[in-house]
Amino acid sequence: MIAEHLTQASYLAAAILFILSLRWLNHPSTARRGVAAGVAGMAAAIVGTLLHPGLGYTWIVAAMVVGTVIGVPLSRVPLTAVPQRTALSHAFGGLAAALVGTAEYFLGVSGNGHELTPFRTGALSAEVILGGLTFTGSLMAAGKLQEIIPTRPITYKGQNIINLGLLAIAVGSAIYLVAHPEQWFLFVIILVLSLVFGVLLIIPIGGADMPTVISLLNSYAGLSAVAMGFVLDNKVLIIAGALDGSSGLILSIIMCKAMNRSFTNVLFGAFGQVQAGSAAGEAKTAKSGTARDAADLLENAGSVVVVPGYGMAVAQAQHRVREIYDQLTKRGVDVKFAIHPVAGRMPGHMNVLLAEAELPYDALVEMDDINHDLPQTDVVLVVGANDVVNPAARHDKSSPIFGMPIIDADKAKACIAIKRSMNPGFAGIENELYYADNTLMVFGDAKGVLGDVVKELSGESGGIH
Ligand code: NAP
């Protein structure tokens, strides 16, 4: 009896900590506290479960050892690999839900477990469908992001109808199973179809859309945990699953909005296919310069806005960005960072990198807040960003990014853009900003170029200027 009360008290504490964790994760200044609360909540949930009377610990300890052996190396991946790491965690969550659901169903059908009431059978089916598709879908997403499998969308005629048809058969079988729970082969069909559906759902989606898809799969994993909570009559699973499901969905919606895309476009739009010969034959030239030219512009500016993008993450150039910030602020230049909500490849990508370089939070300004200042800004320094500063989003109705809110880098008095070539970014399109009269391209790896600019600014370059 006491153990049961302790378990319920731990679950209550875990639920409160999970909610606080999400609240605190909302702002960089409280994010660490948010992570600590999440970890404490999970610890409380695990301890509460272990206190459950009548548990055998052998299998639990064995599973914990296996989980630790897999989890510790996974926690050490570089920041650029976090999206695929997250996808793997969702895959494991989905697998756990599908396995628990399968075990519970077969225990029930063989008369050794709980009775398969219509509610229980319905919850089990939902758990297995969502868990199964999350498992294979997340593995596919991780594979695409890691480029183990082709990242381009693979499409064929009638694809959406086939996919939705398979899902409809799985759901139809589940409805029949609720009325006839002893028909175990239907359960097997549901399980197999959900695993196949997970693969087919992800195949037509381009690698670059994977972060949005991962956050959607996160939401499915959460919903499968809710169903599992009903099956196991476990309140903390229901609460944590609901939080996970809704936060994943909200995040996907935020990402879609920031890209001005709809859910259906992400899921069925096969975005990321090569664009047919845009602007072919137009002879435009971009003005290119050296690190010295960039340093000249920067040190003569009164205000500088840095726009970081995916290239800064690839080059791991955030510490060089910090050095530029130090050099310029030392000279009295006002330096701010313009943060686009989908710069990089995962939500908060730029915030995390800049926080790692210990840049002050108040220097980081959201896109909507910084855009009115840009016409008065002397220099915008674009570090490996492309789509998020592409003016075509404002005026070119034929552009795939038309309507996506952007950082108005082109409106500043001058712009310096650092990237390795004239190659496009995620959306696969040209950027007219690079050809503008007031833009200076400095070609090279962002870390190398910024390192050279820092040397120029600090007078260490030793060159003859
Ligand atoms: P982007 O449009 O993908 O452009 C990144 C640029 O970085 C490329 O043009 C590339 O040019 C340059 N680059 C790559 N490696 C570099 C290096 N080592 N040094 C210097 N430059 C380098 O990136 P973005 O402007 O950040 O925009 C993000 C895009 O991702 C948006 O279209 C957004 O919708 C999409 N997206 C974001 C999320 C998210 O959650 N953040 C999720 C899904 C999709 P070079 O090859 O010439 O160097």
Side-chain angles (χ1 to χ4, degrees):
M1 194 62 184
I2 292 177
E4 181 55 28
H5 285 318
L6 281 175
T7 297
Q8 294 309 327
S10 323
Y11 285 174
L12 183 64
I16 293 169
L17 284 164
F18 289 150
I19 293 167
L20 287 174
S21 167
L22 284 178
R23 174 88 200 105
W24 287 329
L25 283 171
N26 256 328
H27 196 272
S29 58
T30 49
R32 280 174 203 276
R33 208 190 307 158
V35 173
V39 171
M42 193 50 86
I46 293 173
V47 170
T49 305
L50 292 178
L51 288 174
H52 221 279
L55 281 186
Y57 290 103
T58 322
W59 285 103
I60 295 177
V61 172
M64 279 181 152
V65 171
V66 174
T68 309
V69 168
I70 298 174
V72 170
L74 271 185
S75 69
R76 305 232 160 106
V77 299
L79 203 59
T80 41
V82 165
Q84 46 270 51
R85 208 276 316 275
T86 311
L88 279 182
S89 314
H90 297 160
F92 293 140
L95 178 65
L99 287 177
V100 169
T102 308
E104 285 289 322
Y105 173 77
F106 282 102
L107 280 174
V109 88
S110 63
N112 294 321
H114 295 277
E115 193 198 336
L116 290 174
T117 58
F119 177 76
R120 204 174 154 75
T121 314
L124 276 171
S125 305
E127 179 186 345
V128 167
I129 292 177
L130 289 162
L133 76 88
T134 304
F135 172 54
T136 49
S138 301
L139 283 184
M140 292 292 293
K144 282 207 175 203
L145 283 166
Q146 192 64 31
E147 296 182 20
I148 299 169
I149 48 176
T151 57
R152 74 195 148 75
I154 297 170
T155 52
Y156 50 86
K157 215 164 165 248
Q159 191 166 29
N160 291 340
I161 294 171
I162 294 176
N163 288 358
L164 292 175
L166 284 182
L167 186 63
I169 298 173
V171 173
S173 307
I175 293 170
Y176 194 82
L177 189 73
V178 169
H180 305 278
E182 70 291 347
Q183 306 283 339
W184 61 266
F185 66 92
L186 284 176
F187 189 87
V188 177
I189 291 176
I190 296 170
L191 178 62
V192 172
L193 285 184
S194 60
L195 293 172
V196 174
F197 181 74
V199 175
L200 297 181
L201 179 74
I202 304 304
I203 281 180
I205 305 175
D209 265 347
M210 283 307 128
T212 320
V213 171
I214 287 172
S215 114
L216 203 58
L217 288 167
N218 177 18
S219 147
Y220 296 159
L223 294 178
S224 68
V226 172
M228 181 155 65
F230 282 117
V231 168
L232 299 177
D233 192 19
N234 183 313
K235 291 179 192 65
V236 82
L237 265 177
I238 298 174
I239 296 171
L243 291 173
D244 197 14
S246 48
S247 56
L249 188 66
I250 292 169
L251 186 55
S252 327
I253 293 171
I254 292 174
M255 285 161 85
C256 284
K257 267 203 182 139
M259 294 189 285
N260 195 36
R261 314 250 313 273
S262 65
F263 255 155
T264 32
N265 183 272
V266 169
L267 291 178
F268 307 116
F271 200 75
Q273 277 172 332
V274 180
Q275 299 281 312
S278 69
E282 275 180 47
K284 287 189 274 181
T285 45
K287 207 170 7 148
S288 82
T290 61
R292 177 69 242 161
D293 301 329
D296 279 344
L297 270 171
L298 290 169
E299 62 191 347
N300 290 314
S303 55
V304 169
V305 169
V306 182
V307 185
Y310 179 60
M312 182 185 83
V314 176
Q316 287 291 295
Q318 61 275 21
H319 296 285
R320 296 287 166 281
V321 168
R322 165 81 214 215
E323 289 168 28
I324 299 264
Y325 173 84
D326 289 342
Q327 285 292 335
L328 293 177
T329 43
K330 211 165 65 187
R331 288 171 162 76
V333 181
D334 175 45
V335 186
K336 292 265 181 295
F337 293 82
I339 307 297
H340 191 285
V342 290
R345 289 293 182 273
M346 59 183 173
H349 205 167
M350 298 300 118
N351 302 66
V352 172
L353 290 172
L354 296 176
E356 186 195 312
E358 294 185 354
L359 278 151
Y361 297 134
D362 55 8
L364 275 53
V365 188
E366 298 293 330
M367 170 179 67
D368 291 338
D369 297 326
I370 200 130
N371 266 346
H372 352 268
D373 296 344
L374 286 174
Q376 296 89 47
T377 300
D378 292 328
V379 179
V380 163
L381 176 64
V382 177
V383 183
N386 192 339
D387 296 342
V388 300
V389 287
N390 191 340
R394 283 199 308 257
H395 63 78
D396 181 358
K397 290 204 169 105
S398 65
S399 169
I401 60 164
F402 178 68
M404 166 172 141
I406 57 154
I407 293 172
D408 297 331
D410 57 322
K411 294 191 177 164
K413 292 176 194 157
C415 171
I416 302 169
I418 301 174
K419 69 200 290 290
R420 296 162 307 175
S421 65
M422 291 304 277
N423 284 346
F426 160 76
I429 48 168
E430 252 188 13
N431 190 340
E432 62 192 56
L433 172 73
Y434 301 149
Y435 300 100
D437 289 342
N438 57 346
T439 298
L440 180 77
M441 301 296 300
V442 185
F443 290 111
D445 174 76
K447 193 174 182 177
V449 171
L450 287 175
D452 292 344
V453 175
V454 171
K455 280 191 199 141
E456 295 290 350
L457 287 173
S458 60
E460 283 173 27
S461 69
I464 304 161
H465 310 310

